[in-house]
Amino acid sequence: MKINTVLYGSAKVTDVSEDKIFETINRVVLLRIKTMILKNLGKEDVFAFKEVVKKNDPKLFFDFAYKRIPHLADKIHSEIRQLSLELQKTQ
Amino acid sequence: MADARKEHRELPITPDSRSSLLRTLNIMEHRAETGLNKALAGLGIEDGDPVKALYENLSQDGIKKPWSVKTFLKNVGDITWGSFWGKVSTISVAIGTGLGIIREAALNWDSFRILYNNAIAWSFADVEKGTDPLATLSTAATAAIVLAIPTLAVSTVTKITERRTEQLINRVNRVNAARNAIEAGEANLNYLIGPNVHILVGKSDPSIETLIKMFHDIGIEVITFWDEARAISPKINPFWLKTKNMWTRADVLNKASLENALCMFAEVSKGSDVFLSRRSGTFSRLYEDMSDAESRNANTKANFLLSQRGIKRAIPLVAVTNIKRAVTGSVAGETDAIYGTKNEGDLYAKNRHMHARHVDGIVTGLIAQISKKSGFPVELMTDPHRQQEYTHTFNLVIHDYNEKLSEEGKKQPDKSALRYKTAEDGNKSLTCFYGEDDQATLKLLEGFLEETSREGDVLAIINDPEVIGELPEEIRISKKYICVGEVLAKDQFRQFVQLVDNEEITLPAEIQSKLDTYRATPQLFSIQNHYGTFELDSFVFSP
C-alpha cells in the first residue's frame, strides 16, 4: 500500500454535480482573472502581451503579467473575494 | 443567527439546489466571457486575431493526480514560498478562518500550508513546480471560494464544504501525524512503502548517500536505521527508524516493512576504517555503535519476525566490517580448554545468507594496482599516534594480499606483489595519506605533499565523498585519491546485484528491468582516477 492511498484515499469525489460546480467556478475565476489582467495592461504592453500569448505557455504568461502589473496578487484576490460576494448575493 | 445556521445546515442537498447554483454560475460564466471579449477589444484584439483564440484557451485543466509521499514531503517540508504565493495563501486563510470554517485545524503557518496544499490537491490540481500557475491558481481560488461561502448562503455548497472540510481536517491531522512520525524516525513504515532495502547505519557512514542514490536510481526505497538522529538530509531519503543503539529490537524492526525488504546492509562500527585495528575485536559501548554480533543478530531477528508472519524467506545481510577482528572466549571452570581462535569473518560465513564486505581488502587491492601502475613501492603517511597501529595493520594486509595472490597462482613477484618501501628505495615511493579521520588526512597533505611527491607519487585515501572538494588542487584535479565511501557504496551495490543474479533476491519485474538497464552505467563497479580505471573485485579477502 502506498502512502498516498493512506493520506488521500478519502479525497475521492464521486458526485458528478459537485465536480461540475467546481469546474464552473474554475472557469469563471480564470476568465475574470484574465479579464482583470487585460484591464490592467496599457497600450504600450500590447506588443509584449501578444508575443507572450503566442508562446502559449501559461507559466511564461503569468511571469509576464506579474512583472507588468504591480500588486497583481492583491488584485487577483480582490477579484476572488468579489466573485465570492456575488455568489452569496445570488443564493 | 446560530439557530438559523443550524436549521439551514440540516437542509437536504437536493438536485434542485445544485442546479440552481450551477445556473447562477453559468450566468456568471457567460458574463465573464463577455467581459473578456470586451477587454480584448479594448486592447485592439478582435475576432480573427490568432492571439484572441490563444488567450481565451490559455489554461491547463487540473491534473487529477494525488501526490506521492516524496512530493508531499518536498512541498510541505521544504518549499520557501515566494511573496506571491505567500499573499495568495495568507488571504485565503484569512477568508477561511474569518468564517470559522477551518478553525478546528488550530492553524499555525505550517499547518495552514499543509491545509492549503491539501485544499489544492482536493481541488485536483498539481502544485509541483513547473505546472501551470494559472490552473493552480484557479483551483486554489476554487478552494478559497468554497471555503469562503458562508453556511447560511448556499445550502448545497455548505453541505459540500462541511463534508469536504471535515475530510480535509481529518486528512490534515493524519498527514501531520504521519509527517511527524516519519520525521522523528518512529513511523510504522509497513503501510507506506513498497520494495525496499534496510541500511543499519549507526552514527554515520561515508558510503551511505551514494548507496541510497544507487537504490533510488532503480526504484528501490531505502529505510535507514540510526541510533538517535539521522546524519543525512530527509531530502536524500525520508524514511528512517530510530534504534536508540539497540539494533535488534522487534518493535523497531516490525515497523520496517519487512514483507517488502529485499536486503539488509549493516555498516558495522569502524568497518569502513581502512587500517584500524583489524585484528582487535574489542568493543566498548562508549565508542561503538554497532558490533558485528549486533549486525548479524538484527538480521536473524528480522528473519524470525518475517517467519512469524508466515513468510518463509530470509532477507540477506551484507555487512561492511573488518572480517579479521578476533572473536575471543574464555572457559570458566577447572579445565584450561582452548577452543581455537575465531574471527568475525568465520561467523558471517557460517550463515549462508550473510555476506561480509571487507574494506581493508578492497582498498588494499586498489593500492596494489595503483602501486603496480606507478612503479613505486608503497608507504603510509599517517598521524604519529596511529603510526604503530596502522603500520602493523598495513603490513598484515600487504602480507595477506601477497599470500592470496600466491594461493591463486597469480603471484609474479617482480610485477604484481604489493611491496612496502625499504631504505633502498630512498624517496621513491607511492605515499598513501590516511589519517585517523578525513580532516587529519587533509592536514597531512597540507604538510607533506610537496616533499613526498618530489621523487615518488602520492595517493590520498579519504572516507567521505564530501571531502573531495576540500582536497588540495593537485590531488583533486589530477584525481590522485581513493574515496572509501564511493568504493564501499559500489561494492555493496555490486554485492546486491550479485545476490540478484544468484536468485537469492527476487526483484519485482519493473525494478529488475530498471536494474538491467542501470548495470550498463559506465564505471558502476569500478573507480577511475589519475592512475587508471580499476575494478573493485581485484582483491577481496575471503574469511
Side-chain angles (χ1 to χ4, degrees):
Chain A
M1 188 184 282
K2 299 282 184 190
I3 194 166
N4 53 13
T5 316
V6 176
L7 298 178
Y8 301 111
S10 61
K12 197 177 175 189
V13 172
T14 52
D15 191 325
V16 176
S17 298
E18 291 175 16
D19 275 350
K20 276 188 183 171
I21 290 169
F22 292 140
E23 283 165 11
T24 316
I25 291 175
N26 255 339
R27 287 200 301 275
V28 175
V29 168
L30 202 51
L31 282 164
R32 290 178 65 140
I33 289 171
K34 284 180 183 176
T35 308
M36 182 272 292
I37 289 172
L38 288 174
K39 285 180 178 170
N40 279 280
L41 292 177
K43 291 281 181 193
E44 68 281 4
D45 298 317
V46 173
F47 178 76
F49 168 78
K50 284 185 167 185
E51 288 304 305
V52 79
V53 170
K54 280 177 191 168
K55 289 178 182 163
N56 200 22
D57 180 337
K59 186 175 185 317
L60 287 179
F61 171 73
F62 203 84
D63 287 346
F64 160 83
Y66 192 57
K67 278 179 196 157
R68 296 280 172 136
I69 303 170
H71 310 297
L72 180 61
D74 294 340
K75 290 185 169 84
I76 286 173
H77 246 280
S78 168
E79 195 69 36
I80 291 169
R81 288 194 71 173
Q82 184 57 35
L83 179 59
S84 175
L85 290 171
E86 286 172 26
L87 256 180
Q88 288 170 36
K89 280 180 196 163
T90 61
Q91 297 297 311
Chain B
M1 182 68 119
D3 289 339
R5 179 176 297 205
K6 190 179 173 189
E7 193 180 312
H8 246 82
R9 277 183 172 178
E10 286 166 0
L11 282 175
I13 300 172
T14 63
D16 281 352
S17 55
R18 285 199 195 102
S19 303
S20 164
L21 180 61
L22 266 175
R23 272 198 300 279
T24 304
L25 286 166
N26 285 334
I27 293 167
M28 283 183 153
E29 187 179 5
H30 179 68
R31 282 185 197 148
E33 281 169 354
T34 311
L36 179 64
N37 278 327
K38 276 187 187 168
L40 281 163
L43 289 177
I45 302 165
E46 304 283 357
D47 287 343
D49 188 334
V51 170
K52 184 171 187 286
L54 277 171
Y55 189 58
E56 282 171 350
N57 293 322
L58 191 68
S59 72
Q60 183 176 302
D61 291 335
I63 300 164
K64 295 186 180 181
K65 191 177 82 175
W67 292 341
S68 69
V69 67
K70 277 184 190 164
T71 311
F72 167 73
L73 290 168
K74 180 160 70 81
N75 281 291
V76 171
D78 304 318
I79 284 178
T80 305
W81 285 47
S83 59
F84 169 72
W85 289 109
K87 280 179 185 170
V88 168
S89 42
T90 306
I91 298 167
S92 297
V93 78
I95 297 168
T97 50
L99 293 163
I101 292 170
I102 50 176
R103 65 177 179 277
E104 288 175 57
L107 298 171
N108 54 30
W109 176 245
D110 261 0
S111 55
F112 168 66
R113 210 162 55 188
I114 297 167
L115 181 63
Y116 185 74
N117 284 347
N118 274 277
I120 295 170
W122 164 48
S123 301
F124 295 127
D126 189 331
V127 293
E128 282 189 65
K129 281 180 185 174
T131 53
D132 177 2
L134 279 178
T136 306
L137 177 67
S138 59
T139 44
T142 306
I145 287 172
V146 174
L147 288 171
I149 295 172
T151 50
L152 273 172
V154 191
S155 63
T156 304
V157 177
T158 302
K159 288 289 179 188
I160 297 169
T161 307
E162 281 176 357
R163 200 169 71 236
R164 294 292 179 82
T165 307
E166 193 184 334
Q167 288 175 353
L168 204 56
I169 289 168
N170 286 341
R171 204 176 331 137
V172 167
N173 288 341
R174 273 183 288 153
V175 166
N176 266 334
R179 187 189 64 164
N180 292 341
I182 290 171
E183 284 185 359
E186 290 162 357
N188 185 345
L189 301 173
N190 287 333
Y191 303 105
L192 304 186
I193 57 176
N196 64 81
V197 294
H198 296 171
I199 305 181
L200 278 58
V201 188
K203 278 194 165 49
S204 66
D205 184 89
S207 66
I208 190 87
E209 287 188 27
T210 314
L211 188 59
I212 289 171
K213 186 183 171 302
M214 293 172 106
F215 280 112
H216 284 178
D217 283 348
I218 58 167
I220 293 178
E221 296 288 359
V222 179
I223 301 174
T224 51
F225 294 69
W226 306 79
D227 57 354
E228 279 295 334
R230 59 182 161 178
I232 58 165
S233 160
K235 284 181 189 171
I236 294 166
N237 191 46
F239 304 116
W240 75 289
L241 289 169
K242 190 186 291 181
T243 64
K244 296 183 179 167
N245 218 7
M246 289 180 277
W247 304 94
T248 58
R249 282 169 48 184
D251 63 324
V252 175
L253 289 167
N254 265 330
K255 291 178 187 167
S257 188
L258 289 173
E259 285 93 337
N260 293 321
L262 300 167
C263 189
M264 179 182 270
F265 294 84
E267 316 298 330
V268 177
S269 288
K270 295 185 179 168
S272 58
D273 206 325
V274 178
F275 303 117
L276 185 64
S277 303
R278 61 192 288 268
R279 304 285 181 183
S280 157
T282 53
F283 273 83
S284 152
R285 269 282 163 229
L286 282 175
Y287 302 109
E288 308 297 343
D289 301 306
M290 187 202 326
S291 66
D292 286 286
E294 282 172 313
S295 84
R296 287 190 294 272
N297 295 341
N299 181 254
T300 305
K301 179 71 84 63
N303 287 328
F304 167 71
L305 296 171
L306 204 56
S307 70
Q308 278 193 326
R309 296 179 195 181
I311 299 172
K312 289 180 180 171
R313 72 174 175 90
I315 302 167
L317 172 72
V318 176
V320 174
T321 186
N322 290 326
I323 57 172
K324 293 290 174 81
R325 277 181 183 141
V327 178
T328 52
S330 302
V331 176
E334 296 291 323
T335 67
D336 293 327
I338 296 171
Y339 292 102
T341 310
K342 305 264 191 241
N343 63 37
E344 296 291 354
D346 297 332
L347 305 192
Y348 280 104
K350 277 185 174 181
N351 296 283
R352 193 171 47 83
H353 59 273
M354 292 186 182
H355 309 273
R357 309 305 297 161
H358 188 201
V359 67
D360 274 17
I362 301 163
V363 175
T364 308
L366 288 169
I367 293 172
Q369 290 183 81
I370 292 167
S371 162
K372 182 182 167 189
K373 200 106 180 200
S374 71
F376 295 121
V378 294
E379 68 175 356
L380 182 65
M381 171 69 77
T382 188
D383 302 302
H385 63 283
R386 288 282 190 207
Q387 189 231 2
Q388 199 178 352
E389 187 180 17
Y390 281 8
T391 304
H392 175 69
T393 309
F394 201 29
N395 276 328
L396 287 171
V397 290
I398 287 174
H399 172 265
D400 285 354
Y401 176 77
N402 291 330
E403 202 171 60
K404 180 88 178 163
L405 288 185
S406 286
E407 282 169 14
E408 292 173 359
K410 293 178 187 170
K411 191 175 182 184
Q412 298 170 42
D414 297 336
K415 294 178 182 174
S416 305
L418 182 57
R419 187 166 71 81
Y420 219 17
K421 187 184 91 168
T422 61
E424 291 160 12
D425 294 308
N427 287 331
K428 292 178 181 173
S429 65
L430 176 71
T431 307
C432 301
F433 284 81
Y434 190 68
E436 65 177 338
D437 57 31
D438 282 338
Q439 289 309 315
T441 306
L442 292 173
K443 197 170 82 177
L444 291 167
L445 284 164
E446 229 178 335
F448 304 102
L449 177 61
E450 200 181 324
E451 48 201 289
T452 50
S453 58
R454 208 169 288 152
E455 291 182 53
D457 218 336
V458 292
L459 179 70
I461 301 166
I462 53 158
N463 290 320
D464 192 343
E466 278 280 314
V467 177
I468 292 172
E470 298 167 44
L471 286 168
E473 270 194 11
E474 52 267 55
I475 296 288
R476 180 167 47 83
I477 292 171
S478 56
K479 284 194 169 180
K480 291 185 175 183
Y481 62 85
I482 293 174
C483 174
V484 177
E486 181 195 353
V487 168
L488 278 180
K490 288 181 170 183
D491 181 66
Q492 289 172 88
F493 190 74
R494 190 189 48 169
Q495 179 67 50
F496 175 82
V497 173
Q498 207 169 318
L499 293 173
V500 172
D501 290 346
N502 295 344
E503 297 178 352
E504 200 172 325
I505 294 172
T506 307
L507 298 178
E510 192 188 337
I511 293 173
Q512 180 70 57
S513 156
K514 281 185 184 171
L515 175 62
D516 291 341
T517 311
Y518 189 66
R519 65 199 301 170
T521 307
Q523 281 142 32
L524 190 61
F525 303 133
S526 61
I527 62 154
Q528 191 179 36
N529 60 24
H530 171 76
Y531 303 98
T533 302
F534 303 103
E535 297 300 317
L536 299 182
D537 58 352
S538 58
F539 174 55
V540 178
F541 286 94
S542 51

